Amino acid sequence: MNKIAEIYGTMVFDQRAMEKCLDPKVYEALRKTIHDGEALNPDLANAVAAAMKEWAMERGATHYTHWFQPLSGTTSEKHDAFLDPQDDGSAIAKFSGKELIQGEPDASSFPNGGLRATFEARGYTAWDPTSYAFIKDEVLCIPTAFCSYTGEALDKKTPLLRSMKAIEEQVRRAMDVLGENNGQHVTVTLGAEQEFFLIPEKDYAAREDLVMTGRTLFGSAPCKGQELEEHYFGSIRPTVNEFMKELDDELWALGISARTKHNEVAPAQHELAPVFTNCNRGIDENLLTMEKMRLLAGHHGLACLLHEKPFEGINGSGKHNNWALSMGKTNLLDPGDNPIENLRFLVILAAIVEAVDDYQELLRAMIASAGNDHRLGANEAPPAIVSIYLGDELSKVVNALISDAEYSRVERVEMDLGVDVLPNFLQDTSDRNRTSPFAFTGNKFEFRMPGSNANLSDANLVLNTAVAKGLKRFADALDDLPLKQAREQALLYVKDTLRAHERILFNGNGYSAEWEAEAARRGLANNKTTASALPCMIEQKTFDLFSEFNVLAEAEVRSRYEIKLEKYTKLLNIEARVMERMSRRTYLPAITRFARETAEAASALAAIGADNETSVALAQQLAEGLKAASQATQDLLAIHAQAENIRIPQAKANFYADNVVPAMEKLREEIDALEIITSRDVWPVPSYNNMLFYV
């Protein structure tokens, strides 16, 4: 047996483990809970808990935890031992069905956006059986939802699960209208491609900005960046390769299907991509992947950076959200050999186009963050303008439908490379567009806007709910018609929907200035900062969308707006404080010493009659730079103080975006200009050359 087969899923209580460890009747009841949403009664829960405990303890587990995703976006856990002391001084291992199903962590210190007062501390975690339990660091981790004492969702998972339920119901209704409901389970599938940087751990530790904020707030461009494009898909450094081997082993044991790994475009940047899975489980697995990346990097003298833009002037890191729908084993986003005759596909495509157009601003808001603002539109990631790329073949289909014109099918061309020994192959009917925020890539849509550090629950709950709304509108319009008439009307419905939302379709270069102007003419939003992107979250249109499908109540939506707003200003506050401190305590003293040494050297040269023109010019340049950097520091301090005195959250965010961020950029510009004329021996922190081009 090969290594992958031996270790894959060994630390996961998956269906293989369930079938092996559970009584057949218990297993069948649990399977119905997982696949059909049936409630699990307490007796069955006790049986599952007992088997899960024995399975976990056989693999070295001593504790269990309810593993959940508070609104901070990270994961949280509180460990309890499988321990029940006895009167005779001994102890037995204990884990009940109640302990499996429900936990009670303190909810007061997690972000809640006003849903709970500080003194209202009680919260509950509830087992999510659709995402497998797993063992991590000798702890049985049970994926759970997290809610307040009064029932409001205080986590990322709960609304995601609600949105998945909503889209499943509406897909079934739409398929009923078309006579294509095969009765099988409808699943939202997700593949999360994860980009990240690896740099030497010693350099990371020497950079206060990296430690405190995850990105370099200062740093002049390296002598060589990514312009030679030699790093992309290049041979992987031996140190990085050893890290990736260990990461593969850990992820495979957790049942995470890490499949593809390679160097990305920027130096020291890499990517890992898994096989598609259930959306809920895929997000859990991505969060675990990021945790393991951070932890395991240190085993190899490396630090893993998951910030969206850790280095200025080279590509930032995204997390590509590959989204699709399936019914049983049928991918509903597979257009087939002749997509214009695939009515099922066209109905779903129309609903997706409608959803992305109607809720473009909400999609942008849900992936907004202080870090992602640096990345979007920077000729490395999609712009802040949301649009859909369909490719050549689908665009021809859509254009034919919109204009009632004859469809001319795109024929696949056989590629002949002109070398007999090389095989001929069929060219795809469409190229890819890496500048598109939302691109069709053959049998799925790739939402490329989320940043590398994001929890993908936010983006997917919007996408799921908005598409559910489009499908509901379709089903409501046609579900009373006889099947033949419904199918005839369905095509007309698709045409009308595509015509109404044609403005969101764009196959060109999303980086171009011409597209920005064209998008404005089309009426598409262009929210370039988080501060400008977030207000759409508290519009009535948003409340109506989420309440219609019981995904989020208005209070839950408002809480998420408040949390994102607060996190944005807190992160920028931290960054500004770090910049001020580093400027005054790290950079200016070091540059001042070098300027003094340079001036003394110029005087010494003059004293012996030697040419000191170069030293004098450098000393003057350093003195002028120091003056400018000192002034930029004082300006940032003053503007930052103004920002912190603002009490209205949205006004505070706007001020940070419009005033503090430009002041930070100005200070960085002045310090970075001094880096390239200051001796490397006295420069106080590792440079980009050091961090990105290590051996």
Side-chain angles (χ1 to χ4, degrees):
M1 184 180 290
N2 64 45
K3 179 181 180 182
I4 298 176
E6 286 178 352
I7 66 175
Y8 193 82
T10 52
M11 292 297 179
V12 186
F13 196 68
D14 56 16
Q15 292 203 41
R16 294 177 305 168
M18 293 175 196
E19 194 167 11
K20 181 179 179 181
C21 299
L22 296 172
D23 178 272
K25 291 182 179 179
V26 175
Y27 169 71
E28 182 59 25
L30 181 58
R31 192 191 65 78
K32 288 182 178 179
T33 295
I34 294 171
H35 292 291
D36 303 329
E38 292 187 11
L40 195 68
N41 70 51
D43 289 339
L44 287 174
N46 283 325
V48 173
M52 194 181 288
K53 178 200 70 178
E54 293 302 319
W55 170 86
M57 292 182 68
E58 286 174 3
R59 287 155 181 78
T62 57
H63 291 68
Y64 70 92
T65 183
H66 278 198
W67 186 78
F68 60 101
Q69 303 168 33
L71 292 173
S72 61
T74 57
T75 60
S76 295
E77 51 197 68
K78 175 175 69 75
H79 302 170
D80 290 295
F82 294 122
L83 180 67
D84 186 18
Q86 302 297 294
D87 293 339
D88 62 0
S90 64
I92 61 173
K94 180 184 176 185
F95 182 54
S96 68
K98 182 179 179 181
E99 290 166 323
L100 168 64
I101 290 174
Q102 180 184 318
E104 190 181 323
D106 188 330
S108 63
S109 296
F110 291 110
N112 62 67
L115 287 175
R116 301 286 283 157
T118 302
F119 65 88
E120 296 174 319
R122 193 181 297 276
Y124 299 112
T125 50
W127 178 35
D128 169 22
T130 66
S131 188
Y132 299 135
F134 57 91
I135 298 171
K136 175 173 69 75
D137 303 326
E138 299 182 345
V139 178
L140 173 65
C141 298
I142 303 158
T144 56
F146 178 45
C147 69
S148 73
Y149 176 69
T150 48
E152 295 94 348
L154 293 177
D155 68 339
K156 304 280 187 178
K157 179 184 281 284
T158 301
L160 175 73
L161 291 172
R162 293 171 182 168
S163 75
M164 292 172 65
K165 178 183 177 183
I167 196 169
E168 176 174 10
E169 290 174 352
Q170 300 310 319
V171 167
R172 289 195 179 283
R173 290 189 65 213
M175 295 304 101
D176 282 338
V177 168
L178 299 174
E180 298 196 29
N181 187 350
N182 60 16
Q184 292 185 289
H185 191 57
V186 175
T187 306
V188 182
T189 60
L190 174 69
E193 301 173 34
Q194 180 71 54
E195 294 177 343
F196 58 99
F197 280 84
L198 292 169
I199 64 169
E201 192 173 32
K202 61 180 177 58
D203 291 340
Y204 171 83
R207 295 277 315 212
E208 187 176 3
D209 47 2
L210 274 175
V211 172
M212 293 292 175
T213 72
R215 76 178 182 104
T216 54
L217 301 172
F218 300 95
S220 181
C223 299
K224 180 179 75 169
Q226 61 192 54
E227 61 270 22
L228 295 179
E229 299 172 334
E230 59 188 354
H231 189 257
Y232 190 54
F233 279 27
S235 59
I236 299 172
R237 289 183 177 103
T239 304
V240 172
N241 199 44
E242 288 304 310
F243 158 77
M244 288 183 167
K245 286 179 182 177
E246 185 180 8
L247 179 63
D248 278 342
D249 288 348
E250 291 266 349
L251 296 182
W252 290 339
L254 289 167
I256 299 173
S257 55
R259 185 169 186 174
T260 302
K261 56 187 179 183
H262 62 85
N263 289 349
E264 253 300 334
V265 174
Q269 188 184 33
H270 311 278
E271 181 177 305
L272 181 145
V275 178
F276 282 58
T277 188
N278 166 292
C279 181
N280 172 39
R281 193 181 308 144
I283 290 170
D284 285 356
E285 291 179 356
N286 178 251
L287 293 169
L288 263 176
T289 297
M290 291 194 292
E291 180 183 325
K292 287 295 183 181
M293 283 177 170
R294 292 188 184 101
L295 174 68
L296 299 180
H299 295 180
H300 304 273
L302 300 171
C304 177
L305 307 181
L306 290 167
H307 192 282
E308 298 86 347
K309 187 74 170 179
F311 300 101
E312 183 71 19
I314 63 173
N315 279 12
S317 296
K319 177 149 42 201
H320 303 159
N321 189 95
N322 292 284
W323 181 93
L325 287 168
S326 65
M327 179 175 278
K329 294 184 178 181
T330 301
N331 183 348
L332 299 178
L333 288 184
D334 183 353
D337 293 334
N338 195 3
I340 201 164
E341 295 182 0
N342 187 342
L343 189 55
R344 176 185 66 202
F345 169 76
L346 293 177
V347 166
I348 292 176
L349 175 65
I352 293 169
V353 171
E354 177 181 10
V356 175
D357 186 20
D358 283 348
Y359 296 97
Q360 54 182 283
E361 290 193 80
L362 191 56
L363 282 168
R364 166 69 180 98
M366 285 301 191
I367 55 86
S369 69
N372 216 18
D373 284 355
H374 295 288
R375 171 180 162 267
L376 293 177
N379 285 2
E380 64 194 60
I385 305 165
V386 177
S387 63
I388 297 176
Y389 168 83
L390 293 180
D392 296 338
E393 181 177 24
L394 267 193
S395 291
K396 282 194 171 186
V397 170
V398 169
N399 291 337
L401 292 169
I402 289 173
S403 60
D404 283 322
E406 185 176 347
Y407 167 62
S408 176
R409 184 178 175 185
V410 177
E411 296 295 334
R412 299 187 71 183
V413 176
E414 186 173 67
M415 302 288 286
D416 183 352
L417 299 181
V419 180
D420 291 342
V421 73
L422 296 178
N424 293 352
F425 58 90
L426 290 177
Q427 180 191 52
D428 286 311
T429 56
S430 179
D431 202 349
R432 291 187 176 182
N433 187 335
R434 296 183 64 83
T435 73
S436 175
F438 199 84
F440 185 73
T441 54
N443 60 1
K444 65 187 186 307
F445 276 97
E446 183 179 30
F447 186 35
R448 298 175 56 85
M449 294 180 79
S452 56
N453 204 31
N455 182 318
L456 290 175
S457 296
D458 290 341
N460 284 286
L461 80 89
V462 173
L463 189 55
N464 293 344
T465 312
V467 174
K469 183 176 178 64
L471 291 171
K472 180 178 184 294
R473 194 170 74 86
F474 167 79
D476 287 348
L478 303 180
D479 63 359
D480 289 335
L481 299 177
L483 178 59
K484 182 178 179 182
Q485 187 180 353
R487 289 184 66 87
E488 291 171 352
Q489 291 298 312
L491 187 58
L492 296 176
Y493 184 95
V494 167
K495 291 180 179 182
D496 289 342
T497 301
L498 293 174
R499 288 183 188 120
H501 299 282
E502 187 178 4
R503 67 172 185 168
I504 201 72
L505 304 177
F506 177 66
N507 281 0
N509 181 6
Y511 294 160
S512 68
E514 291 80 6
W515 167 235
E516 188 168 345
E518 170 63 21
R521 284 192 292 273
R522 295 187 186 191
L524 300 180
N526 186 8
N527 294 314
K528 295 185 177 182
T529 69
T530 296
S532 63
L534 294 183
C536 75
M537 291 182 67
I538 52 171
E539 293 176 354
Q540 190 61 46
K541 176 181 177 181
T542 302
F543 299 148
D544 291 344
L545 172 69
F546 288 132
S547 64
E548 181 177 358
F549 295 95
N550 298 314
V551 171
L552 288 168
E554 181 175 332
E556 292 173 317
V557 179
R558 288 188 180 277
S559 74
R560 282 151 177 79
Y561 162 74
E562 296 289 345
I563 289 167
K564 286 180 77 72
L565 206 58
E566 183 179 42
K567 185 173 183 178
Y568 175 71
T569 54
K570 282 183 174 179
L571 285 173
L572 288 178
N573 174 48
I574 292 168
E575 288 190 354
R577 291 172 65 187
V578 172
M579 288 193 82
E580 293 155 3
R581 181 168 296 191
M582 290 185 73
S583 175
R584 290 186 291 178
R585 298 183 61 188
T586 304
Y587 291 111
L588 293 181
I591 299 164
T592 299
R593 287 194 299 272
F594 180 63
R596 183 176 63 247
E597 292 171 5
T598 304
E600 290 171 352
S603 297
L605 288 170
I608 62 173
D611 182 7
N612 68 348
E613 183 177 341
T614 300
S615 295
V616 169
L618 178 57
Q620 290 175 339
Q621 191 176 0
L622 288 165
E624 292 170 359
L626 278 166
K627 181 179 179 181
S630 180
Q631 184 60 56
T633 303
Q634 296 305 314
D635 291 344
L636 176 58
L637 282 163
I639 292 171
H640 183 199
Q642 291 180 50
E644 284 302 288
N645 286 328
I646 298 171
R647 293 291 172 259
I648 301 172
Q650 184 65 57
K652 187 172 187 174
N654 293 343
F655 191 88
Y656 263 105
D658 298 337
N659 298 279
V660 178
V661 170
M664 292 167 63
E665 291 171 347
K666 177 61 176 174
L667 175 55
R668 175 176 191 146
E669 179 185 331
E670 299 297 346
I671 297 292
D672 289 358
L674 288 164
E675 179 182 348
I676 60 176
I677 61 171
T678 301
S679 171
R680 183 178 64 178
D681 296 336
V682 301
W683 195 250
V685 299
S687 69
Y688 277 22
N689 284 344
N690 301 134
M691 291 184 286
L692 297 174
F693 296 96
Y694 59 93
V695 177

